[in-house]
Amino acid sequence: MVNFELDKLKHTTSGNFFLMAGPCAIEGEEIAMRIAEKIVTLTDQLEIPFIFKGSYRKANRSKGDSFTGIGDEKALKILEKVGKTFGVPTVTDIHESAEAAMAAAYVDVLQIPAFLCRQTDLLIAAAKTGKVVNVKKGQFLSAGSMKFAVEKIYEAGNKRVVLTDRGNTFGYQDLIVDYRGLPEMQSFGVPVVMDVTHSLQQPNQSSGVTGGKPQLIETIAKAAIAVGADGLFIETHPDPAHAKSDGANMLHLDLLEQLLVKLIKIRKAVS
């Protein structure tokens, strides 16, 4: 694992935003390493601080037969290998309090899924590991209400908190991003991330498989950087159509470089 300081994410020496990126789920070692190597190469060249993302298990699925993972320990060991091989921090989501200590043994950042952001025991368990805790804002919550999640983690003795916006529920099968929420959450004194790809999901489809609008990834990302987001969260895959989870809203890995180059230009223009 990599020991890194949270302040470096908010005040990067390059002046760039930081990036959380990787596949939705850990599908296997070979593809995880391939994705990580590609992103590390890009972010090193562009001086973008990078955290590799991969879910060791997907607990929130519409259908009972949807892919959930390759096995907890196997996936966590792959995340650990990515971190050690490329010298980058790693992040994965946890779903129950008992998972916090287990995941913390392998990764640097524990992520709280949006649907679970109000689960007090989960937040406290994550906080007590001493790891950075990235809390995704619930689709059903206002930005202002996320101060209570920050307070719970602080009160548990951990000041290493990141908040991530991933859109707001807009009817039954769509999400919309309210960019006013980014500066509001930044007022709590924590880095704020825009989850670009999940904010473009189209949940609750009749097929039981979540849809998405990946053609709008650049739009959402550009707006977030223009507003002043500290970081971006982007799920990416070399073959989204055949990804085992969330392929409908992921960015094709080959498109990441040109997107990041554009975003750096916007960051410089608004800084």
Side-chain angles (χ1 to χ4, degrees), residues 1-2 26 52 54-57 71-81 83-84 89-113 122 125-134:
M1 288 180 289
V2 177
I26 297 298
F52 179 82
S55 296
Y56 72 89
R57 173 157 40 91
D72 293 356
E73 186 176 14
K74 183 177 180 180
L76 286 167
K77 285 183 176 180
I78 291 171
L79 283 163
E80 182 180 47
K81 183 173 181 177
K84 289 181 176 179
T90 54
V91 55
T92 197
D93 33 346
I94 59 173
H95 320 92
E96 298 180 11
S97 302
E99 297 176 19
M102 174 184 70
Y106 296 92
V107 302
D108 305 280
V109 182
L110 297 180
Q111 183 167 284
I112 308 300
L122 181 60
K128 287 185 174 179
T129 67
K131 298 291 183 176
V132 174
V133 183
N134 177 34

Side-chain angles (χ1 to χ4, degrees), residues 182-205:
L182 301 185
E184 183 170 5
M185 290 192 290
Q186 285 172 325
S187 72
F188 307 148
V190 300
V192 172
V193 175
M194 183 73 238
D195 182 342
V196 178
T197 47
H198 283 104
S199 67
L200 291 168
Q201 284 184 332
Q202 293 178 301
N204 307 315
Q205 298 297 307

Side-chain angles (χ1 to χ4, degrees), residues 4 23 49 54 58 64 71 94 106 123 127 140 161 172 180-181 185 208 233 240 249:
F4 70 102
K58 302 302 295 184
I94 59 173
Y106 296 92
L123 290 169
F140 46 87
V161 184
Y172 289 112
R180 297 174 299 176
M185 290 192 290
F233 181 107
N249 53 273

